[in-house]
Amino acid sequence: MGLKLYEELADEIAAMIANKLLLPGERIASVRQQHVRRGVSPATVFQAYYLLEARGLIVARPRSGYYVAPQRAALAPEPEASQPAGASTRVDVSELVFEVLGAAGARDIVPFGSAFPSPLLFPMARLARCVAGSMRRLDPWSTVADLPQGNAELRRQIALRYQRDGAQVASDEIVITNGALEALNLCLQAVTRPGDAVLIESPSFYAGLQALERLDLVAIEIATSPRDGIDLAALAEALARHRPKACWLMTSFQNPLGGLMPPEKKRALVALLAEHEVPLIEDDVYGELYFGAQRPAHSKSFDSKGLVMHCSSFSKSLAPGFRVGWAAPGRYARAVERLRLTTSLAAALPSQLALADYLGQGAYERHLRQLRLALAGQQQQMLEAIAVHFPAGTRVTRPQGGYFVWVELPKGVDALALHRSALRHGISVAPGPIFSANRAFGNCLRLNYGHIWDETHEAAIATLGRLAAAQL
Amino acid sequence: MGLKLYEELADEIAAMIANKLLLPGERIASVRQQHVRRGVSPATVFQAYYLLEARGLIVARPRSGYYVAPQRAALAPEPEASQPAGASTRVDVSELVFEVLGAAGARDIVPFGSAFPSPLLFPMARLARCVAGSMRRLDPWSTVADLPQGNAELRRQIALRYQRDGAQVASDEIVITNGALEALNLCLQAVTRPGDAVLIESPSFYAGLQALERLDLVAIEIATSPRDGIDLAALAEALARHRPKACWLMTSFQNPLGGLMPPEKKRALVALLAEHEVPLIEDDVYGELYFGAQRPAHSKSFDSKGLVMHCSSFSKSLAPGFRVGWAAPGRYARAVERLRLTTSLAAALPSQLALADYLGQGAYERHLRQLRLALAGQQQQMLEAIAVHFPAGTRVTRPQGGYFVWVELPKGVDALALHRSALRHGISVAPGPIFSANRAFGNCLRLNYGHIWDETHEAAIATLGRLAAAQL
């Protein structure tokens, strides 16, 4: 298949930027000018510009037009891979997490510490119509029949997406859950007993740490690159040394770093774990939020032994609040299904039916394209603001998807103190120590760019930069 | 407040039955005859007859009219209280439960083994309109703001119901969960550690046994009367002897026995547990399904120390499949809320909003009245069929609410064998051993009368009776 017209146009402009025919900060031709000059429709020009924006090559400025993005070199550099101590750790992070999250919940706060993207980015009106329509057509018996595994049509729609993305998952393998968090918890319970060791990334998502804490498991934190994920050599060593019962990773747009494991690395990861017969719990809730040309591969697609337990949801990509997630737990599918039956029985039917209906209408891809463009643009704006306002020596990740950047401030900045002073200025942040069983990352922050960028956000980044600098 | 006209008429007929002016099996005056004879409206006569039916005094026979119910003595007698061994038991019942439930799920089976009442008894069309309406009015930010504890309006509506029923529960104490099962699991986790002892009824609900099994807890089964619940003397002894960390009971219409603890016994229970500082996890999912004049008291209303963790849901009384339950966990409220946040984050918003809307409309009471009448009538029909068809020596409970009877067949009947042979005849039952950590109750069955009674059900009871007799 050849390139589409807008892709050709985008590539041509990208080449002009690469070749310095267009310079950073320079205004590029307006949609109308391109339309007249090249004889292509305004819609085609718009699509090309959206694509360039998503790639971070151009930026839109409201009521002014499109500009070549500032030079990459002008952005803060990326941080190095983490270097955790390697010792095993009983987890005790919950109190700190609750303190931070509790403080960040208010609606009038700048939500850089939030775990969620803006609800305004989701098709709530259309989803409401899907809920209404599917409930009107409800077969009362489905309130019982859909219990064991979840609604059959929803599982079929999810299985179709796996297939399209190159992973073979039968709809019978899928267990619908109350969001991905329940799926991950059930998968973890299905393969561990209290006292077992579990390998995780460093830093890693605090809800994962809390799950380990609740189930009395021992966390082994593995060195992880903010660019391409966990260090496989360190992982191999830990597998031999700690004999873990599971490995829990986010292989695409890891929370909080944003790293993306390339397909070949995922293949090697799956092979390595298969050697040791260790199941991989793959938390993939951000997988659909890629800014590149195609969806990142699932580790699942390299799995021939049924050891990959893939977990995801619609909460971050389509329907926040609906609490519909799922696990495709490979050889552990029946064990996970049974745990689900005895812990919460089933996911809510109105939510399941609405999503099955929505997916069947084929509107998901269009929504996702818009969502990805919005997030990519917001990331660019946050990175530029950080480059301008944060103290020298700051490093920032540049994820190719998701809605978090990870900021490494100069040594000497105390992220927990920064979190508390920022709150007094009406700004939430997620301080580094909540992402580590060892309370490491004391000078780091996770910042959420999942909200529509405006002057308040720009000012908040300036305030954060000032507060950080004041600590030095 | 004086009696309503239909209540007066019902009392008059009840007196005639008590005084043998109307005899068991005798046809009573038709609605039309009463209307003409007494000058009251047909609707009033219908209401009176429904009430008498709910009290078990008369029965309707399709296309034939109303008859005085068979004499109570003609029904099978009630079973005695259980006599568990008293030893502590590691639980291992899951495989058996899954075997039984897996077999009973098909739609074309007579669902005496089901845990659910007929979905046709619920106002699904009206609920669908509530879902549609509340989603149309959705504030997108509520997808985030409602996360920590659940939707505020729903919690307020639930708190209002507690107040009306004589229990003081602030809406801030309430944690919305994915059905009562999640609430119970979270409450149990909040107060126990692996290896702890938990006091339960004997027999008791298998999902409770499975929860103990999953959390590595030790079950102490306490003697329980099918009429008025757990034996307080046995409970006091076990409290002293086993130093349990929790007591998990169904104090109203216990599953599977159907027993109802009178208010004074509940008060004594709460006082006894308070002496030992042992929390009571009160599973009250059937509390709204009473056939008497008013809702059974909550143990919560006798609790001054915050030790009662009251759990319930709308799944059995209003909205099956919506998966909305809650806990009012007293002094453990924050602990339960935090566990919920780390295990499944939140309950589905469309379900919560729809139920808040429905409750606000004030339609719940009317629906509940109809539901209770339907269940009471169906119980009467099942009891009569059992009296006719089951072998001599059979004992059956006569619960004052809920939708289960507990059948004690003559010694020598093997309920598990009966379950398997019944399945071959297209009939499911819930055999006694799934309700015990010790696989006791080998000659008992739990039968569900929550489905609209018809000839198939009558024939199925006859088949069950024949199969049981054949074993003797």
Side-chain angles (χ1 to χ4, degrees):
Chain A
M1 229 166 43
L3 288 180
K4 298 213 175 106
L5 202 54
Y6 75 91
E7 291 172 319
E8 273 181 35
L9 176 57
D11 282 356
E12 195 179 314
I13 297 170
M16 291 170 72
I17 294 172
N19 298 329
K20 313 271 182 211
L21 298 177
L22 288 168
L23 292 175
E26 191 175 340
R27 191 167 187 283
I28 62 172
S30 71
V31 172
R32 180 188 301 268
Q33 288 167 337
Q34 294 280 23
H35 162 58
V36 172
R37 205 180 289 167
R38 295 173 182 257
V40 293
S41 76
T44 300
V45 182
F46 266 121
Q47 278 186 293
Y49 282 15
Y50 284 149
L51 190 58
L52 289 165
E53 223 185 330
R55 291 190 196 156
L57 293 172
I58 69 173
V59 291
R61 298 200 181 132
R63 282 181 299 276
S64 166
Y66 288 90
Y67 293 80
V68 178
Q71 262 185 297
R72 285 277 157 170
L75 297 179
E78 290 184 85
E80 303 292 327
S82 62
Q83 299 292 344
S88 67
T89 320
R90 290 266 166 182
V91 187
D92 176 27
V93 73
S94 269
E95 281 307 314
L96 185 57
V97 171
F98 287 121
E99 182 206 309
V100 170
L101 297 186
R107 189 183 287 210
D108 53 353
I109 223 160
V110 181
F112 294 153
S114 169
F116 308 99
S118 168
L120 304 175
L121 295 171
F122 298 94
M124 300 311 283
R126 181 153 186 169
L127 286 168
R129 289 197 299 277
C130 291
V131 178
S134 57
M135 285 301 291
R136 255 198 320 273
R137 295 186 299 273
L138 174 75
D139 169 6
W141 289 100
S142 66
T143 58
V144 177
D146 283 351
L147 282 183
Q149 278 188 272
N151 178 260
E153 174 59 16
L154 178 60
R155 285 185 286 118
R156 194 179 72 86
Q157 291 288 347
I158 293 169
L160 285 172
R161 290 191 70 80
Y162 274 114
Q163 189 175 49
R164 217 197 44 173
D165 298 330
Q168 292 301 323
V169 174
S171 50
D172 266 358
E173 181 185 333
I174 295 167
V175 182
I176 304 292
T177 58
N178 293 296
L181 186 58
E182 190 186 46
L184 292 160
N185 270 288
L186 296 177
C187 287
L188 195 58
Q189 274 181 70
V191 297
T192 62
R193 302 280 305 158
D196 284 346
V198 176
L199 306 185
I200 58 172
E201 290 135 337
S202 169
S204 70
F205 177 38
Y206 50 77
L209 295 170
Q210 289 176 309
L212 299 189
E213 183 178 335
R214 195 169 43 77
L215 296 171
D216 248 327
L217 298 165
V218 176
I220 314 287
E221 297 183 288
I222 309 292
T224 301
S225 150
R227 190 180 279 266
D228 65 2
I230 202 161
D231 179 330
L232 290 188
L235 184 73
E237 200 189 290
L239 282 166
R241 188 158 144 216
H242 296 282
R243 309 211 153 272
K245 287 297 187 299
C247 186
W248 172 338
L249 304 180
M250 301 186 77
T251 57
S252 300
F253 317 125
Q254 193 254 2
N255 178 0
L257 292 178
L260 171 63
M261 291 182 90
E264 281 317 304
K265 194 168 171 186
K266 281 177 179 155
R267 185 193 298 275
L269 166 72
V270 171
L272 176 61
L273 292 174
E275 265 175 49
H276 294 262
E277 288 274 331
V278 170
L280 170 63
I281 300 173
E282 186 178 31
D283 179 355
D284 194 27
V285 293
Y286 305 109
E288 295 286 6
L289 306 182
Y290 57 88
F291 305 157
Q294 60 182 24
R295 195 193 195 290
H298 297 84
S299 298
K300 192 97 186 153
S301 51
F302 307 118
D303 177 31
S304 59
K305 296 180 82 172
L307 282 169
V308 176
M309 309 173 85
H310 186 262
C311 299
S312 191
S313 83
F314 296 107
S315 303
K316 312 294 208 289
S317 57
L318 175 60
F322 277 55
R323 306 304 306 136
V324 174
W326 69 91
R331 64 166 83 160
Y332 307 101
R334 289 296 79 77
V336 169
E337 183 191 324
R338 288 175 169 206
L339 278 172
R340 215 276 321 275
L341 273 174
T342 65
T343 47
S344 72
L345 198 61
L349 201 59
S351 294
Q352 291 188 66
L353 294 174
L355 291 177
D357 189 42
Y358 181 92
L359 294 174
Q361 293 177 12
Y364 193 26
E365 279 312 311
R366 190 151 32 108
H367 156 69
L368 282 173
R369 275 197 299 276
Q370 291 173 351
L371 178 61
R372 289 168 195 141
L373 287 170
L375 293 177
Q378 289 160 203
Q379 183 195 87
Q380 182 65 25
Q381 289 176 293
M382 180 174 270
L383 289 178
E384 285 177 34
I386 289 172
V388 171
H389 297 294
F390 273 36
T394 297
R395 290 165 173 269
V396 197
T397 57
R398 271 167 228 157
Q400 298 167 56
Y403 50 86
F404 297 123
V405 290
W406 179 252
V407 181
E408 197 180 293
L409 289 155
K411 299 269 178 237
V413 175
D414 175 350
L416 284 171
L418 184 56
H419 140 70
R420 282 187 283 265
S421 57
L423 262 190
R424 286 192 292 272
H425 288 80
I427 305 162
S428 73
V429 300
I434 68 175
F435 300 98
S436 160
N438 298 304
R439 310 242 173 150
F441 309 108
N443 60 325
C444 297
L445 301 177
R446 185 194 71 183
L447 298 183
N448 177 324
Y449 58 79
H451 292 73
I452 295 154
W453 194 261
D454 62 18
E455 286 155 18
T456 324
H457 291 69
E458 185 82 25
I461 290 289
T463 303
L464 283 178
R466 208 175 58 243
L467 293 172
Q471 284 193 19
L472 292 168
Chain B
M1 228 167 43
L3 289 181
K4 298 213 175 107
L5 202 53
Y6 75 91
E7 291 171 320
E8 274 180 34
L9 176 56
D11 281 358
E12 194 179 316
I13 297 170
M16 289 169 75
I17 294 172
N19 299 328
K20 312 272 183 207
L21 299 176
L22 288 168
L23 292 175
E26 189 175 345
R27 191 168 186 281
I28 63 171
S30 71
V31 172
R32 181 188 302 267
Q33 288 167 335
Q34 294 279 22
H35 161 58
V36 173
R37 205 181 290 168
R38 296 172 183 257
V40 294
S41 76
T44 300
V45 183
F46 266 121
Q47 278 187 294
Y49 281 15
Y50 284 149
L51 191 59
L52 289 165
E53 224 184 330
R55 291 190 196 155
L57 292 172
I58 68 172
V59 290
R61 297 201 182 132
R63 282 180 300 277
S64 164
Y66 289 89
Y67 293 80
V68 178
Q71 262 185 300
R72 285 279 156 169
L75 296 178
E78 291 184 85
E80 303 292 326
S82 62
Q83 299 292 344
S88 67
T89 319
R90 289 265 166 186
V91 187
D92 176 27
V93 73
S94 269
E95 280 307 315
L96 185 57
V97 171
F98 287 123
E99 182 206 309
V100 170
L101 297 186
R107 191 182 287 209
D108 53 354
I109 222 158
V110 180
F112 294 153
S114 169
F116 308 99
S118 167
L120 304 176
L121 295 172
F122 298 95
M124 299 312 282
R126 180 152 188 171
L127 286 168
R129 289 197 298 277
C130 292
V131 178
S134 57
M135 284 301 290
R136 255 199 321 274
R137 296 186 299 271
L138 174 76
D139 169 4
W141 290 100
S142 66
T143 59
V144 177
D146 283 352
L147 281 183
Q149 278 188 271
N151 178 260
E153 174 59 17
L154 178 59
R155 285 185 286 119
R156 194 179 72 86
Q157 291 289 346
I158 293 170
L160 285 172
R161 290 191 70 79
Y162 274 113
Q163 190 176 47
R164 219 198 43 172
D165 298 331
Q168 292 302 322
V169 174
S171 50
D172 266 358
E173 182 185 333
I174 295 166
V175 182
I176 304 292
T177 57
N178 293 295
L181 186 57
E182 190 186 47
L184 293 160
N185 271 288
L186 296 177
C187 287
L188 195 58
Q189 274 182 70
V191 297
T192 62
R193 302 280 306 157
D196 285 346
V198 176
L199 306 185
I200 58 172
E201 289 135 339
S202 170
S204 69
F205 177 39
Y206 49 78
L209 295 171
Q210 290 176 309
L212 299 190
E213 184 179 335
R214 195 168 44 76
L215 296 171
D216 248 326
L217 298 166
V218 176
I220 315 288
E221 297 183 289
I222 309 291
T224 301
S225 150
R227 191 179 278 266
D228 65 4
I230 201 161
D231 179 331
L232 290 187
L235 184 73
E237 199 189 291
L239 282 166
R241 187 158 144 216
H242 296 282
R243 310 211 153 272
K245 286 298 187 299
C247 185
W248 172 337
L249 304 181
M250 301 185 77
T251 56
S252 301
F253 317 124
Q254 194 254 0
N255 178 0
L257 292 178
L260 170 65
M261 291 181 89
E264 282 316 305
K265 194 169 171 186
K266 282 178 179 156
R267 185 194 298 274
L269 167 73
V270 171
L272 176 61
L273 292 174
E275 264 175 49
H276 295 262
E277 288 274 329
V278 171
L280 170 62
I281 301 173
E282 185 177 32
D283 179 355
D284 193 27
V285 294
Y286 305 109
E288 295 285 6
L289 307 182
Y290 56 88
F291 305 157
Q294 60 183 22
R295 196 193 194 290
H298 297 84
S299 296
K300 192 95 186 154
S301 51
F302 306 118
D303 177 32
S304 58
K305 296 180 83 173
L307 283 169
V308 175
M309 309 172 85
H310 186 262
C311 299
S312 191
S313 83
F314 296 107
S315 303
K316 312 296 208 290
S317 56
L318 175 60
F322 278 54
R323 307 304 306 137
V324 173
W326 68 90
R331 64 166 82 158
Y332 307 101
R334 290 294 79 76
V336 169
E337 182 190 325
R338 288 176 169 205
L339 278 171
R340 216 277 320 274
L341 273 175
T342 64
T343 46
S344 71
L345 197 62
L349 202 58
S351 294
Q352 290 189 64
L353 295 174
L355 291 177
D357 189 41
Y358 181 93
L359 294 174
Q361 293 176 12
Y364 192 25
E365 279 312 311
R366 190 151 31 109
H367 155 69
L368 282 172
R369 274 196 300 275
Q370 290 173 352
L371 178 61
R372 289 168 196 142
L373 286 171
L375 294 176
Q378 289 159 202
Q379 183 195 89
Q380 182 65 23
Q381 290 176 294
M382 181 174 269
L383 289 178
E384 284 177 35
I386 289 172
V388 171
H389 297 293
F390 272 35
T394 298
R395 290 166 173 267
V396 197
T397 57
R398 270 167 229 157
Q400 299 168 56
Y403 50 88
F404 297 123
V405 289
W406 179 252
V407 181
E408 196 179 294
L409 289 155
K411 299 270 179 235
V413 174
D414 176 350
L416 284 171
L418 185 56
H419 140 70
R420 282 188 283 265
S421 57
L423 263 190
R424 287 192 292 273
H425 288 81
I427 306 163
S428 74
V429 299
I434 67 175
F435 300 98
S436 160
N438 298 304
R439 309 243 175 148
F441 308 106
N443 60 325
C444 297
L445 301 177
R446 185 195 70 183
L447 299 182
N448 178 324
Y449 57 81
H451 292 73
I452 294 154
W453 195 261
D454 62 18
E455 285 155 20
T456 324
H457 291 68
E458 185 82 26
I461 290 290
T463 303
L464 282 178
R466 207 175 59 243
L467 293 170
Q471 283 193 21
L472 291 168

